[in-house]
Amino acid sequence: MVAKYIASLRALAARRVVTLVAAAFVLASVIVILVRLGPPAKLNDLKLPDVKLPDIDMSKLPNIPGFSGSHEPEHYEKCDRNITEPLKLWKAAQQKYDKLMDDKFTIAMQTYKRPKELDETLRVILSEKIASLHEIVIIWNNLEEKPPGNFKSETGVPVRYRVSERNSLNMKLLPDPDFKTQAVLLSDDDVYYKPQDLEFAFQTWRKFGQHRLTGALPRCATPDAEGNWGYGFCSKDSNQDVYSMIITNLCFSHMSFLDYYSSNNTVMQKVRDYVDDHFNCEDIALNYVVSYLTGTGPLLVKGRDKYVNYEPAQGISKKPGHLEARSKCLNDLTKMFGCMPLVNETAHIERGVIVL
Ligand SMILES: *[C@@H]1O[C@H](CO)[C@@H](O)[C@H](O)[C@H]1NC(C)=O
Ligand SMILES: *[C@@H]1O[C@H](CO)[C@@H](O)[C@H](O)[C@H]1NC(C)=O
Ligand SMILES: *[C@@H]1O[C@H](CO)[C@@H](O)[C@H](O)[C@H]1NC(C)=O
């Protein structure tokens, strides 16, 4: 009986010892692992494995459902001002056009198969003397039809039809070597400022807008929660009453920006191909160019009257999915520039006096 009791005590003691030894071993292992994983005592002790990662273009990987890694939105910072080469190119362009008149402007009006709208717009613009209007050039993109002949209006303004080499939105932004003025009013055949307001808009460009796109129709770029840019009409809500683009339906540009847009700079070549592939967004692209080079936003100008826009039943901006396509342009162009160049502007200029 006693012997049996002693034997059971021994067995218990043996199990305790085994348990203690095992616990001590586990604890020691944990300490060793923690010490190894912990921060190195000195930064120099930190040795990263010398592994070369393969170059994988994440955007080219197939989309795996439920796996978000392959279409995570890419984030691009605001563009900085450290852009020596582009600025050199722009400066050369400015010098090139220095000899052109700076107190007159040219209208470059794009048209495509809308003779009624074109005639009406020309009729209004040519109905009154506009002191600083030097010439109207109609960018004729309807290649199937011959344009009417050039003429001179009763107000003395020459009107010249320029047939495009192809039906491309880039044709409107060409720095035509025959232009005689530094200022070009980019416009479409269905939208105009009334004549007196047009002169006012040009004088505003001269005083405040030579380094900005200066015109009538503002647009906005706003990021969503994930950082994707969305294109939209602007809002007057107090926390968002800003704009960052003026579309080229009706806006003044300095020749040097058109020159840069049309240059052989590699980014600009890609941008023009993109505009041709999508038949869209040349106006967004020109806003990117100007703000990229100047670090400044555009300038909205309101005449005494609102600009006139026929809002035709047909036209690019009336197609369904227009805003989505324009948003895609914002994101694709940001990728091409490698940064977001647009700059918000909070003010605009309006003709007339405020009587207090
Ligand atoms: C400006 O850009 C150049 C080349 O892109 C780079 O070497 C330089 O460090 C940059 N300077 C600043 C102040 O960011
Ligand atoms: C302009 O301001 C809006 C609203 O405040 C903001 O969401 C947006 O990011 C800004 N856009 C740019 C290009 O900085
Ligand atoms: C690019 O354009 C500049 C000036 O416009 C010209 O001097 C240069 O030769 C052109 N380069 C190429 C590769 O075409």
Side-chain angles (χ1 to χ4, degrees):
M1 187 74 194
V2 171
K4 206 175 175 191
Y5 180 67
I6 289 173
S8 78
L9 268 185
R10 273 199 189 140
L12 186 67
R15 260 184 273 142
R16 287 252 162 101
V17 167
V18 168
T19 310
L20 279 174
V21 168
F25 182 75
V26 167
L27 189 63
S29 312
V30 166
I31 288 170
V32 167
I33 289 170
L34 284 180
V35 166
R36 289 204 152 191
L37 288 181
K42 282 185 263 152
L43 208 55
N44 287 346
D45 294 345
L46 182 65
K47 285 210 182 70
L48 290 175
D50 196 13
V51 180
K52 179 123 176 55
L53 291 172
D55 277 336
I56 299 174
D57 184 349
M58 296 302 279
S59 64
K60 294 219 176 95
L61 290 179
N63 277 345
I64 301 162
F67 176 64
S68 67
S70 57
H71 46 130
E72 197 76 32
E74 288 168 81
H75 294 277
Y76 292 94
E77 301 292 323
K78 269 185 86 64
C79 299
D80 64 29
R81 307 293 308 132
N82 183 15
I83 46 168
T84 319
E85 283 308 312
L87 288 179
K88 233 193 249 171
L89 192 57
W90 178 42
K91 188 146 199 195
Q94 284 175 285
Q95 279 163 357
K96 188 160 143 195
Y97 300 108
D98 235 13
K99 294 171 226 82
L100 300 186
M101 288 184 272
D102 69 352
D103 58 349
K104 294 269 193 295
F105 69 96
T106 303
I107 297 180
M109 188 186 297
Q110 174 174 260
T111 189
Y112 181 78
K113 290 191 181 172
R114 287 198 296 214
K116 259 211 217 129
E117 284 88 349
L118 176 63
D119 282 354
E120 178 60 11
T121 300
L122 281 178
R123 190 190 63 73
V124 174
I125 294 175
L126 296 171
S127 65
E128 281 176 48
K129 179 104 188 125
I130 300 172
S132 306
L133 174 57
H134 179 71
E135 185 192 19
I136 298 178
V137 177
I138 312 288
I139 319 297
W140 189 263
N141 276 351
N142 176 10
L143 305 183
E144 291 146 38
E145 215 175 298
K146 273 199 145 168
N150 300 344
F151 66 99
K152 193 171 208 169
S153 76
E154 280 171 24
T155 46
V157 178
V159 178
R160 164 163 74 91
Y161 291 83
R162 190 185 79 201
V163 179
S164 298
E165 58 186 58
R166 60 207 157 82
N167 179 17
S168 159
L169 298 172
N170 290 319
M171 294 298 138
K172 175 174 163 185
L173 304 186
L174 282 181
D176 187 327
D178 292 331
F179 284 174
K180 302 287 189 294
T181 64
Q182 294 183 26
V184 180
L185 178 79
L186 303 165
S187 75
D188 288 347
D189 52 17
D190 60 341
V191 53
Y192 57 84
Y193 279 113
K194 300 253 181 87
Q196 293 316 305
D197 286 340
L198 180 52
E199 179 67 24
F200 166 76
F202 171 65
Q203 294 304 337
T204 304
W205 175 85
R206 282 190 80 200
K207 280 178 270 191
F208 308 110
Q210 301 208 18
H211 286 181
R212 313 165 77 176
L213 292 182
T214 299
L217 290 90
R219 292 292 182 267
C220 282
T222 324
D224 66 13
E226 287 171 334
N228 292 307
W229 291 96
Y231 178 89
F233 302 96
C234 304
S235 152
K236 278 171 122 177
D237 290 353
S238 60
N239 60 338
Q240 0 174 298
D241 54 350
V242 298
Y243 58 98
S244 52
M245 289 172 276
I246 295 283
I247 53 176
T248 55
N249 291 14
L250 194 57
C251 89
F252 284 96
S253 169
H254 191 277
M255 276 289 265
S256 59
F257 297 123
L258 305 183
D259 195 274
Y260 190 93
Y261 181 91
S262 303
S263 73
N264 58 15
N265 169 279
T266 41
V267 175
M268 293 329 307
Q269 285 176 339
K270 273 191 216 152
V271 166
R272 292 196 303 275
D273 288 346
Y274 182 92
V275 165
D276 277 341
D277 289 348
H278 295 77
F279 214 85
N280 201 347
C281 297
E282 82 291 0
D283 52 351
I284 296 180
L286 190 65
N287 276 275
Y288 271 52
V289 166
V290 176
S291 287
Y292 180 68
L293 294 173
T294 65
T296 312
L299 181 60
L300 171 63
V301 182
K302 250 181 99 179
R304 201 184 291 285
D305 295 319
K306 195 181 174 210
Y307 63 86
V308 177
N309 191 349
Y310 297 129
E311 312 237 356
Q314 290 183 333
I316 291 177
S317 65
K318 288 290 173 287
K319 287 186 185 156
H322 172 67
L323 289 184
E324 290 77 3
R326 304 278 283 175
S327 298
K328 183 164 163 38
C329 288
L330 285 180
N331 290 294
D332 291 344
L333 287 168
T334 302
K335 193 170 180 178
M336 283 182 228
F337 277 77
C339 54
M340 171 37 102
L342 295 182
V343 178
N344 274 333
E345 177 55 71
T346 50
H348 71 267
I349 292 183
E350 189 168 341
R351 182 175 164 206
V353 65
I354 297 173
V355 182
L356 298 171

